[in-house]
Every structure is written in C-alpha cells, then in structure tokens.
Amino acid sequence: MTDVVAERRPIPASRDGKIRWWDVLIVIVGGNVVGGLLAILLAVATIFFIKRYHYFPISLNHVSKSFPVTMVSLAASDLGILSVLWLVARRRFRPLFSHYFAPIPLGTVGWAAFSGLAIAVVLGGMNELLSRLGLVKFKASDFELALVPHSVAQVFVAVAMTILFVPFLEEMLFRGLILDWLRRVGGPWVAALLSAALFSLVHCEFLFHQGAQGWIYTLNIFLIGAAMAIWVLRTGSLQSSFALHATYNAIGILTAAYLSWPS
C-alpha cells in the first residue's frame, strides 16, 4: 500500500532543494512590494491612532523619528518579505525550517555569538578612533535615532524586532536563499563575498550618511555579512549566523539605549 501511495504522489520536480535565480528575484521584488504596501498601510493606521487617541505625543513633522511608527513600518515591510520568502522556499525544501536551521552543537552557537560581540567591539572601537582623531564625523540618521528605545516597554519591542525578528529574516534571505543560489553558481567563497556585498548595499548606509561615514558603515556591514556567511559555510546551519547577527544587533541597540537613557 505504501508503494502505491508513493507512486501516486511523486515528489514534485520543483522540490529538489535547488534555488533558482528567479526564486531570488521573486523574493526581492515581490517581497518588497508586499512589504512596502503593508508598511504604508500600517504606518498610516499607526499615525491615525496616535493623533486620534494621543497615545504617544507626536508631531507629524517628527514621524520619521517616531519609535512606534518606525517599528510598525519595519515589522510590516519585513513581514511582507518573509511571507514571500517562505512561500518560495517551501517549494524547494520541506521541512523548510530544519533545512536552514539544522541543529549544531550549543558550543558552536556560543562561539558564533561571541564572534558577534568581538566584531561589534572591534568595529565600534575603530569608528570611535576615527572620530577622536577627527578623521570622520559620525552622526546618526533619523531612522537610526527612531530605532533607539526610550522606555522599558520600547526596550522589549526593540529586542523582539531588531535582535530576534530582523536577524531571522535577514539570515533566511541572505545566508539562506541567496547564499544557497550563489554557492551553486559560483562556489562557496564567491558566494560568501557576493552575498556580503549585496547585504551591505541593501542597507543603503551610503545614502543615509554622506561622505566617508556612509562608506565606512557599508564596509562594516560587508565584513559582518562575510563573517556570517563563513559561519554558515562551516556549520551548514543558520543557527550560527543568527547567533552572530542577534548578538551584534543587541550590542548596538542596547548601547544606544544606555547612552540616550534619561539620567
């Protein structure tokens, strides 16, 4: 009976574990369209709620610096991308989660997290040195300022979004789908470098920050992306890159929150 069922329900040819170039294109284009529409709708709804019920004191002139509006927009846009990514990837892999987040030793996850801490300290120290020497003037963008929590409730929201959800999405996309495809067409090291380059360019730091600061931040993100890609290539699991990514983001967000916290 089992053999008969297997013959009647063959495994689809599309579910062969190989990512195609159009899979990547569908996720990037389709995900951003869906996410953009969700972000606009929810941002407008959030602004209406804020203005209507005065839940948060906010002026429409400062929407770009508003923590709740920024978090809602970020969650909506990323949720749109994740939903399209999930639908596309499920056509290639099943079960999807165990394919990308294969179990690895806890000690390996710990070392990956420690590498995220080390990278944050080294890159932060280098940027601070450049600033103290007067070589580069660093200034936070409106978007970066809006990500900084200013209350205990906002800290929990920031942790959920920037330390858990955003790294999960970005690892699924860049070190999962995109790295999978690039590794097939160019080999592991070309894949690591190209995925890191795409990861750094997508963050658009060279647009948010003028001059040397933007390109220094772009280089920083490239180095982080390369480190995460190498971890995935060595371990075969996104658990390692997620640990690095989450730790790095945690250092940045919690440090910014501490420095801006009312005394």
Side-chain angles (χ1 to χ4, degrees):
M1 179 65 69
T2 305
D3 293 337
V4 173
V5 173
E7 290 178 2
R8 290 179 180 176
R9 296 183 180 181
I11 298 175
S14 62
R15 197 170 299 152
D16 57 4
K18 296 180 180 179
I19 298 297
R20 276 72 166 180
W21 65 267
W22 57 83
D23 293 329
V24 177
L25 185 64
I26 290 172
V27 171
I28 293 176
V29 176
N32 277 285
V33 170
V34 174
L37 291 175
L38 282 175
I40 293 171
L41 290 174
L42 288 182
V44 170
T46 303
I47 294 170
F48 172 79
F49 178 82
I50 290 171
K51 296 297 291 183
R52 176 67 176 82
Y53 298 101
H54 304 285
Y55 191 70
F56 292 103
I58 183 176
S59 166
L60 290 178
N61 295 327
H62 297 88
V63 165
S64 63
K65 298 180 182 179
S66 165
F67 180 88
V69 173
T70 300
M71 284 297 163
V72 168
S73 300
L74 184 62
S77 62
D78 285 358
L79 189 60
I81 297 172
L82 181 60
S83 62
V84 176
L85 187 158
W86 195 270
L87 291 173
V88 169
R90 283 184 79 249
R91 288 180 54 81
R92 304 300 182 200
F93 312 106
R94 239 180 222 186
L96 175 61
F97 191 83
S98 62
H99 172 79
Y100 279 131
F101 288 87
I104 58 176
L106 185 59
T108 303
V109 176
W111 278 112
F114 178 78
S115 69
L117 171 63
I119 292 172
V121 171
V122 171
L123 294 182
M126 292 177 63
N127 292 346
E128 180 66 20
L129 179 61
L130 291 173
S131 178
R132 289 183 178 274
L133 293 175
L135 299 176
V136 180
K137 185 177 181 180
F138 291 94
K139 181 181 179 181
S141 65
D142 287 347
F143 177 73
E144 290 166 342
L145 291 173
L147 292 175
V148 179
H150 296 285
S151 68
V152 175
Q154 289 185 358
V155 168
F156 282 105
V157 174
V159 167
M161 276 300 303
T162 62
I163 301 176
L164 298 177
F165 181 62
V166 170
F168 175 78
L169 166 65
E170 292 184 345
E171 292 316 301
M172 284 283 291
L173 177 58
F174 289 99
R175 262 67 61 181
L177 200 77
I178 292 176
L179 187 65
D180 258 355
W181 173 61
L182 289 174
R183 183 164 44 181
R184 283 185 55 239
V185 299
W189 296 109
V190 171
L193 294 175
L194 289 181
S195 65
L198 182 60
F199 182 63
S200 63
L201 293 175
V202 164
H203 281 77
C204 297
E205 292 292 348
F206 51 89
L207 297 179
F208 293 141
H209 303 280
Q210 295 182 352
Q213 180 186 357
W215 291 107
I216 289 173
Y217 280 179
T218 300
L219 176 60
N220 289 350
I221 296 173
F222 172 81
L223 295 174
I224 299 163
M228 291 187 290
I230 291 171
W231 269 109
V232 172
L233 292 173
R234 288 179 61 87
T235 64
S237 173
L238 294 184
Q239 286 193 30
S240 56
S241 60
F242 176 82
L244 188 161
H245 199 158
T247 303
Y248 182 88
N249 281 11
I251 298 299
I253 288 294
L254 297 179
T255 299
Y258 174 77
L259 294 176
S260 62
W261 203 266
S263 56

